[in-house]
Amino acid sequence: MLTLDFTGSTVLVVGGTSGINRGIAEAFAKHGAKVAVASRNPQKVAATVAALQELGAQATGFSADVRDYDSVVAGVNQVVAEFGPIDILISGAAGNFPAMADKMSPNGFKSVVEIDLLGTYHVVRAVYPHLRRPGASIINISAPQAVVGMVGQAHVCAAKAGVDMITRTLALEWGVEGIRVNSIIPGPIDGTEGMRRLAPTPEIHDACRKSVPLKRMGVPEDIANACLFLSSPLASYIHGVILPVDGGWVLGGYAAVASAMEPLLRVMPARDKN
Ligand code: NAP
Ligand code: COA
C-alpha cells in the first residue's frame, strides 16, 4: 500500500483556516508534517492551530492580510524561527463575490485582484528565501476561472489567470534551485465558502453537481490528496503544471452552471456608486 510520510517536513498553508485550504492543512498534519497556517482572522487561525494539534501535529499560525507584504514577511519569519526552513508552501488565500463587470465597483475588482494575484506574489516572494532547497514544493491554488471566462467573475478570472502565469514563471526561474512550482485548479467543492457564493440557490447547486462529468461535487480531501501527491517524491519530475482536480468539470461544465446563474446575476443590483 502507498503511504506518504511528511515527518520532518514543514508545510505553510496560506489561507489555511477554512474550506479547501484547511482540508489541505489537516491532510499534511495527518501525514506527519509540522503545519503552519495563516489568514486575516486571528480567531480562525487559533481555532485551526488547535484542531491541527488535536490531530497530533506540531502546528503554529499567524494572522496577516496577504495584501500587506510586511505583515506576510513578519509572519513567515515567525514560522521559520519556530519550525525552521519551509519544505512545502500552499498559497490559497482568495476572495470572491459574483457581480457583473459593469455593476461591481473599481474597488471591488481591485480588492479581489489584490488578494488573489498580488497576495500570491507577496506570499511566494516572502517564503522564497526560507525554502529548503533542493526539494521544496510550491502549490498555488488557482481556479477554473483561470482557464474559462465566467459571467460575473471578471475580477477572479483576471486574477487567477495571473496566478497561473506566476506559477509558470517561477517554475522557469526557481526550478534550477530544485524548487518545484505547480498550480492546482479545484473544481466545484461542496460545502465551501466559494460554492456558497457561486451557487447560492439549491437549483444552481444542483445544476453544478450535474455538470461535473463524474456526477459529483468535489470534497476538500480531493484537493488535499492532490497536494500530498504533488508535494511528495512521487511527483519529483512534475513542475510548472496547472493541474485541474475537478472531476472533468473544466471540459465544459461551466456552460450548464452559467445558464442557471446568469439570470440571477443580470438582475443583481449594482454596487458601483458611479
Ligand atoms: P474560504 O473558505 O473562504 O478560504 C479562503 C481562505 O483565505 C480563508 O482561510 C480566509 O481566511 C483566507 N483569506 C481571505 N482573504 C485573505 C486575505 N486578504 N489575506 C489572508 N488570508 C485571506 O474559501 P474556499 O472556497 O475554501 O476557497 C479556497 C481556495 O480554493 C481559494 O483560493 C479559491 O479561489 C479556490 N477555489 C475554490 C473553489 C470552491 O469550490 N470553493 C473552486 C475553485 C478554486 P480569513 O477570512 O481569516 O482571512
Ligand atoms: N458585490 C459587489 N461588490 C462587493 C461585494 C459584492 N457581494 N462584496 C464586496 N464588494 C465590494 C465592496 O463594495 C467594496 O467596494 P467599494 O469600496 O467600492 O464599495 C470592495 O468590494 C471591497 O469590499 P470590502 O468588504 O471592503 O473588502 P474586504 O477587503 O474586507 O473583503 C472580499 C474582500 C470582498 C473579497 C470579501 O468578500 C472577503 O473577504 N472574502 C474572503 C472569503 C471568500 O471570498 N471566500 C471565497 C473564496 S473563493
Side-chain angles (χ1 to χ4, degrees):
M1 199 193 13
L2 176 66
T3 53
L4 294 174
D5 184 4
F6 289 92
T7 305
S9 294
T10 293
V11 183
L12 170 61
V13 185
V14 178
T17 61
S18 59
I20 294 171
N21 302 320
R22 177 158 166 172
I24 296 168
E26 288 174 1
F28 277 107
K30 287 177 189 161
H31 286 78
K34 292 183 276 187
V35 182
V37 291
S39 79
R40 292 167 301 179
N41 182 326
Q43 284 82 34
K44 283 174 71 177
V45 172
T48 305
V49 169
L52 295 170
Q53 287 167 342
E54 282 283 302
L55 291 170
Q58 271 183 270
T60 189
F62 65 90
S63 164
D65 189 321
V66 292
R67 290 169 284 193
D68 176 359
Y69 181 64
D70 291 343
S71 70
V72 175
V73 169
V76 169
N77 287 343
Q78 178 199 313
V79 171
V80 174
E82 219 174 317
F83 283 172
I86 292 169
D87 298 277
I88 296 161
L89 167 66
I90 312 291
S91 177
N96 192 0
F97 55 83
M100 302 300 265
D102 60 322
K103 289 183 179 162
M104 71 174 77
S105 70
N107 192 43
F109 185 95
K110 182 175 173 222
S111 298
V112 167
V113 171
E114 285 191 345
I115 299 169
D116 293 22
L117 179 55
L118 185 62
T120 297
Y121 176 71
H122 284 164
V123 168
V124 295
R125 178 73 181 81
V127 171
Y128 170 75
H130 306 290
L131 287 169
R132 196 196 309 273
R133 42 179 64 82
S137 163
I138 296 175
I139 299 173
N140 292 320
I141 303 300
S142 180
Q145 287 90 328
V147 287
V148 283
M150 287 191 196
V151 172
Q153 291 286 278
H155 44 3
V156 178
C157 290
K160 292 289 193 178
V163 167
D164 286 349
M165 290 313 286
I166 288 179
T167 292
R168 293 186 177 101
T169 305
L170 296 188
L172 293 172
E173 294 189 8
W174 296 354
V176 66
E177 296 178 59
I179 299 168
R180 291 186 302 110
V181 190
N182 295 292
S183 280
I184 285 178
I185 295 189
I189 306 300
D190 211 2
T192 58
E193 185 58 29
M195 285 313 293
R196 275 188 283 281
R197 291 176 185 223
L198 294 185
T201 69
E203 293 73 27
I204 298 169
H205 183 275
D206 201 41
C208 191
R209 181 182 57 76
K210 288 180 179 151
S211 71
V212 180
L214 283 183
K215 300 301 170 202
R216 72 165 174 90
M217 307 269 278
V219 290
E221 288 77 12
D222 291 317
I223 308 308
N225 287 338
C227 286
L228 293 176
F229 165 70
L230 262 190
S231 303
S232 79
L234 293 174
S236 60
Y237 205 51
I238 301 181
H239 182 50
V241 306
I242 312 299
L243 178 68
V245 181
D246 68 348
W249 193 75
V250 81
L251 297 176
Y254 171 62
V257 182
S259 58
M261 185 74 179
E262 197 171 329
L264 204 117
L265 284 166
R266 291 209 179 272
V267 297
M268 205 176 261
R271 280 266 188 126
D272 189 0
K273 301 151 215 132
N274 303 313

